[in-house]
Amino acid sequence: MNTGPLTGIKVVEIAGIGPAPCAGMMMADMGAEVILVERKTANANAPAVTAEGDVSKFSFFNRGKKSIAVNLKDAEGVELVLKLVEEADVLIEGFRPGVMERLGLAPEVCLQRNPKLVFGRMTGWGQTGPLAQAAGHDPNYIGVSGALWYGGGKDKAPTAPLTLVGDLGGGTMILAWGILCGVINAQKTGEGQVIDAAITDGSAYISSLLWLMHNTGQIKDQLGTGWADGAAPWSDTYACADGKFVNICSLEPQFYQEFLQRLDLVDNPTFANQWDKSLWPQGKAELKELFGSKTRDQWCELLEGTDICFGPVLNFSEAPKHPHNIARKTFLNIDGVMQPAPAPKFSRSQPVVGVPPKVGEHTDELLRAAGLSEETIAELKAKGAV
């Protein structure tokens, strides 16, 4: 039994793609009952999963949820969803603006049924604004918000790991934050509300530290001129002798001194003044040669765990095997599928990770829980509503 901190919270999630399902996963991980309303027939626009056997296990963003298959083009199917909404604390959807309204599940309809409902909406551009109806993906959203810019350098176009900054950082995390704020407010006031979570807004919001650095002159609009965008030799990623990578970020004075000592650079004039930008290009050239003289494992043996602010750059096959990640149980292997474990850790609550359901696996269970008789359920199935 899941005894996570959200035990007792009920969520209705309208199945979709992108960052909204991950918000549902996070809530299910933490103990919420998440009812996943899935299509009776697959979405033709969904990306294909090329895997043999039961592909549901690869959709770990649905882990711990209960699945009900509903025909949302059928009036009785929509009414079933509204019955689920009546007992829910939260609704999550990630469609383009106007889709829920066309389905008959507009916020005002749902809130009329359940005034305490927190209606969470996840889009790239938001519900309003000149781009609201345009298609887009993670790089587009974080490009417009400014969050992508400092992923570039003097001779490198701005880039960022796909989905991290936009979809999950500015999208999923901000949606989850908004939902929890709304739930707390509804518990106090008895009034629900609509959460308009746009990835553009969210990725701008989580760029707050970059804005602080920009406003204080630590980074500028010209790429490759500040310590945080690849200009400083002591804050960069370097290739090792084996073609693998390590990174350092020896920013603070005490960490910089340890960097000099451990790399035997104390008497090297190139590194005498940490903030002499005229020497940074030479410093980068020297560190490129230095880090290229040993393998990544050799550098880890020498530097990992020190205050130089150092780390290896691991791929997805390597990260679950790292001793720190093993000790903290950062990853889980469920049914042969490696996946991230819930975070953060709690001192008292104990989240329990479930498994992804098959489409419609819990349809009968959920309909019975909603008070429908066996006869009614059979009629709905006969009509194709579920």
Side-chain angles (χ1 to χ4, degrees):
M1 179 179 178
N2 199 326
T3 57
L6 294 184
T7 298
I9 297 295
K10 182 176 289 188
V11 180
V12 172
E13 176 188 332
I14 310 300
I17 59 175
C22 290
M25 178 196 74
M26 292 169 63
M27 300 193 75
D29 283 347
M30 295 301 165
E33 179 186 3
V34 180
I35 299 171
L36 182 64
V37 179
E38 301 199 75
R39 299 168 185 254
K40 282 196 65 183
T41 55
N43 180 4
N45 293 320
V49 177
T50 55
E52 297 180 358
D54 179 14
V55 298
S56 65
K57 69 179 184 179
F58 295 99
S59 301
F60 63 79
F61 47 81
N62 286 335
R63 65 194 187 193
K65 301 176 185 178
K66 294 181 178 180
S67 173
I68 179 171
V70 178
N71 181 0
L72 291 178
K73 295 182 178 179
D74 184 282
E76 290 186 276
V78 172
E79 179 60 29
L80 285 175
V81 175
L82 289 172
K83 283 188 68 68
L84 296 174
V85 164
E86 289 176 0
E87 303 299 322
D89 299 286
V90 177
L91 182 144
I92 296 175
E93 62 97 355
F95 300 128
R96 283 201 199 183
V99 172
M100 289 290 281
E101 284 80 355
R102 290 194 293 274
L103 289 172
L105 295 169
E108 55 268 25
V109 174
C110 293
L111 283 163
Q112 187 174 20
R113 291 291 190 98
N114 181 357
K116 292 182 66 175
L117 182 73
V118 176
F119 194 112
R121 316 195 79 172
M122 178 79 268
T123 59
W125 306 109
Q127 297 295 317
T128 60
L131 296 176
Q133 291 295 337
H137 280 300
D138 183 288
N140 315 127
Y141 308 137
I142 66 176
V144 167
S145 73
L148 182 62
W149 181 248
Y150 290 107
K154 183 178 181 182
D155 300 311
K156 184 182 76 171
T159 185
L162 195 63
T163 79
L164 291 190
V165 177
D167 285 349
L168 298 186
T172 298
M173 296 298 179
I174 296 300
L175 173 61
W177 165 242
I179 286 170
L180 294 180
C181 290
V183 168
I184 292 170
N185 183 259
Q187 290 175 341
K188 292 191 299 183
T189 66
E191 296 181 353
Q193 57 188 303
V194 179
I195 312 299
D196 178 2
I199 295 175
T200 47
D201 298 342
S203 58
Y205 192 27
I206 65 172
S207 300
S208 297
L209 283 178
L210 281 175
W211 274 97
L212 171 64
M213 293 158 63
H214 177 273
N215 292 343
T216 55
Q218 298 179 65
I219 52 176
K220 301 183 183 299
D221 292 340
Q222 295 74 34
L223 288 175
T225 59
W227 72 264
D229 58 355
W234 40 265
S235 178
D236 208 348
T237 298
Y238 292 95
C240 303
D242 53 2
K244 298 179 181 180
F245 298 89
V246 297
N247 56 45
I248 56 171
C249 186
S250 307
L251 172 61
E252 290 81 0
Q254 69 273 29
F255 303 151
Y256 186 72
Q257 289 305 311
E258 183 156 354
F259 154 78
L260 297 179
Q261 292 166 9
R262 290 187 180 273
L263 294 181
D264 196 23
L265 297 172
V266 173
D267 297 322
N268 186 323
T270 302
F271 299 94
N273 184 345
Q274 180 180 7
W275 294 98
D276 186 346
K277 293 187 178 182
S278 67
L279 295 174
W280 282 3
Q282 175 63 25
K284 292 197 74 166
E286 292 185 25
L287 288 185
K288 182 178 179 180
E289 182 178 357
L290 178 60
F291 280 108
S293 68
K294 298 180 187 292
T295 67
R296 188 186 67 188
D297 287 349
Q298 288 174 317
W299 284 117
C300 285
E301 185 176 354
L302 179 66
L303 300 175
E304 198 166 20
T306 71
D307 278 356
I308 189 178
C309 301
F310 165 93
V313 180
L314 305 178
N315 61 35
F316 274 22
S317 295
E318 296 169 323
K321 301 173 184 176
H322 190 278
H324 185 77
N325 293 331
I326 292 173
R328 289 192 56 79
K329 300 179 181 178
T330 304
F331 297 93
L332 299 171
N333 189 318
I334 301 176
D335 197 17
V337 179
M338 188 63 69
Q339 53 199 273
K345 312 297 185 191
F346 292 83
S347 64
R348 188 173 66 85
S349 302
Q350 295 299 321
V352 177
V353 176
V355 296
K358 294 179 174 61
V359 175
E361 179 178 342
H362 303 93
T363 297
D364 287 6
E365 173 191 334
L366 291 168
L367 293 179
R368 291 189 194 104
L372 276 67
S373 67
E374 296 296 334
E375 182 180 0
T376 302
I377 293 173
E379 291 176 357
L380 290 170
K381 287 182 176 180
K383 294 177 180 178
V386 294

